[in-house]
Amino acid sequence: MSVSRTFLTRAAVAGGVAASSVLLLSGTAFAHVSVQPQGEAAKGGYATVNVKVPNERDNASTVKVEVNFPTDHPLASVMPQPVPGWKVEVTKAKLAKPLELHGKKINEAVAKVTWTADGSKIGPGQFQQFPLSLGQLPEDADRLVLKAIQTYDNNEVVRWIEESKEGAPEPGNPAPVLKLSAATGDHHGAAAPADDKAGDKAGHDDKGGEHEEASASSTDSAARVLGVVGILVGLAGIAYGVLAGRRRSA
């Protein structure tokens, strides 16, 4: 009787550890504020991207999201697409060195975009995407770091502003990064599937759907791997319990 109880106890503990491992790894891998698609925006072109904001708290909802744009590579055009239940504010700043875009000098650029809940929230276990049309993307950079600040309705503020360094572990609160690929011939970036009409008006192409599908496929694959890891950990725990029970009965 004691052997049976010992086995069940060990199996339950192993299963709990496996489930906790999957949840912990999933949260670490997928809970960050990010920019989608990643690595598909062409240098020197335009792109429509989504700022993806997951809610990481079980007892609070996200009510405000702020995305800041780099000053070393300012963007002359940043246009948010309306999101139902959220009001948006675009803040501009004067440039020390004017930009030249389509033969015109631009003396100011967008410094940040802020979304504030207006009848909607990002609740526990949910995420929200905020579409942006960006351009003209720099030709002399491989990525844009878009530092974000997430505010919850319990007044907690999470700053996604830490820059990742090559060869170093990922920081606790990494900043969203838009990676830039080689320039295309027509200087048009990839369009995210937020709204085809909005992308067309902004002068973008219609290849974003493929990129988003690839990103989703990558995420699904990672989730499956984590699930398999959890199952293997659980089976290992059960096997350990069986062996321990046999040794005691012997």
Side-chain angles (χ1 to χ4, degrees), residues 27-39 48-56 65-67 69 115 122 127-132 134 144-150 158-162 164 170 173-179 192 212 215-216 219:
T28 301
F30 304 125
H32 303 330
V33 174
S34 61
V35 181
Q36 304 290 339
Q38 297 185 18
T48 302
V49 302
N50 285 318
V51 178
K52 184 177 180 181
V53 183
N55 193 89
E56 292 189 308
V65 177
E66 175 185 310
V67 175
F69 292 85
W115 293 269
I122 309 175
F127 75 92
Q128 177 66 54
Q129 295 190 102
F130 299 95
L132 288 171
L134 308 178
L144 288 179
V145 178
L146 309 179
K147 297 183 178 181
I149 299 175
Q150 181 177 12
V158 181
R159 302 178 183 277
W160 302 97
I161 61 174
E162 300 177 54
S164 302
E170 183 180 58
N173 292 324
V177 175
L178 176 64
K179 295 181 180 179
E212 186 68 16
S215 177
T219 299

Side-chain angles (χ1 to χ4, degrees), residues 81-134:
Q81 179 176 318
V83 177
W86 296 80
K87 62 180 180 180
V88 61
E89 180 182 1
V90 178
T91 304
K92 294 184 177 182
K94 290 187 177 180
L95 298 174
K97 182 180 179 180
L99 295 174
E100 187 168 333
L101 184 65
H102 302 307
K104 296 182 180 179
K105 285 190 176 181
I106 308 297
N107 295 313
E108 60 181 11
V110 173
K112 66 179 179 179
V113 176
T114 305
W115 293 269
T116 305
D118 186 21
S120 182
K121 296 181 179 181
I122 309 175
Q126 299 178 343
F127 75 92
Q128 177 66 54
Q129 295 190 102
F130 299 95
L132 288 171
S133 171
L134 308 178

